[in-house]
Amino acid sequence: RPRLASPLAIETRFWSLVESTPENPSECGVWAGTRNGSSKDPTKWYGRFSWGRGTEQKAHRYAWSLHHGREVPAGMVVDHLCRNPWCVRPSHLEAKSQAENCRRRVDAKLTHATVREMRRLHAEGQTAAKLARRYGVDPSHVSRILRPHPERGHPASWEGV
């Protein structure tokens, strides 16, 4: 019968696969282990950590769980506050709903100047679909920008823009 690794040995192995500088906590702890994803762009892939027989998890979710001493709550995703999908530094990770994670991703892409430009182009006749393609976001997000409404959850950072 194979001997199972202790939780401490698994945790030690996990952190040995992270490139980081402990003296600078604002820097990402970059996962140096296996990475995979469905995107054709490997910079968008997530780290994968496996242990035991067939047990595998996304590296950032495993890091969040280690830090908090529990599993990620059901229905939640682990968001990278630093926007780096390879980062596993616990202070850069936060459990969020998928909807909130998507909103934050779009907010990170769009500056105040971009939002003002979108509204100007729309006033000049460009459709939300064209603007979405131009700025690489979903048309529903463009619609939220063009017609902000508090009940629909437009970001507070867009108010007055």
Side-chain angles (χ1 to χ4, degrees), residues 1 16 25 101 128 131:
R1 197 159 88 152
S16 76
N101 188 34
L131 291 169

Side-chain angles (χ1 to χ4, degrees), residues 4-51:
L4 299 176
S6 72
L8 180 59
I10 294 169
E11 182 176 348
T12 301
R13 187 170 148 269
F14 176 83
W15 292 116
S16 76
L17 294 168
V18 178
E19 297 171 356
S20 68
T21 54
E23 63 277 356
N24 189 350
S26 66
E27 285 185 20
C28 292
V30 178
W31 181 250
T34 304
R35 297 175 184 158
N36 64 16
S38 58
S39 170
K40 291 181 182 180
D41 179 0
T43 64
K44 295 181 180 171
W45 293 358
Y46 290 102
R48 302 292 299 179
F49 180 61
S50 58
W51 68 98

Side-chain angles (χ1 to χ4, degrees), residues 12 18 24 36 42 63 65-66 77 95 108 116 119:
T12 301
V18 178
N24 189 350
N36 64 16
S65 295
L66 279 177
V77 299
R116 282 191 298 273
R119 289 180 177 157

Side-chain angles (χ1 to χ4, degrees), residues 96-140:
K96 299 257 183 212
S97 69
Q98 181 62 34
E100 178 63 21
N101 188 34
C102 289
R103 275 193 293 276
R104 289 193 71 252
R105 187 178 317 126
V106 170
D107 291 351
K109 279 186 177 183
L110 303 175
T111 64
H112 288 290
T114 305
V115 170
R116 282 191 298 273
E117 182 179 26
M118 275 184 171
R119 289 180 177 157
R120 180 184 58 75
L121 291 170
H122 185 260
E124 293 173 3
Q126 285 216 14
T127 65
K130 270 191 176 175
L131 291 169
R133 281 192 301 278
R134 178 177 180 159
Y135 295 100
V137 296
D138 190 86
S140 66

Side-chain angles (χ1 to χ4, degrees), residues 73-106:
M76 302 294 270
V77 299
V78 176
D79 185 21
H80 292 88
L81 301 175
C82 56
R83 313 315 304 158
N84 178 355
W86 299 348
C87 182
V88 295
R89 186 176 296 278
S91 61
H92 293 196
L93 306 172
E94 197 170 89
K96 299 257 183 212
S97 69
Q98 181 62 34
E100 178 63 21
N101 188 34
C102 289
R103 275 193 293 276
R104 289 193 71 252
R105 187 178 317 126
V106 170

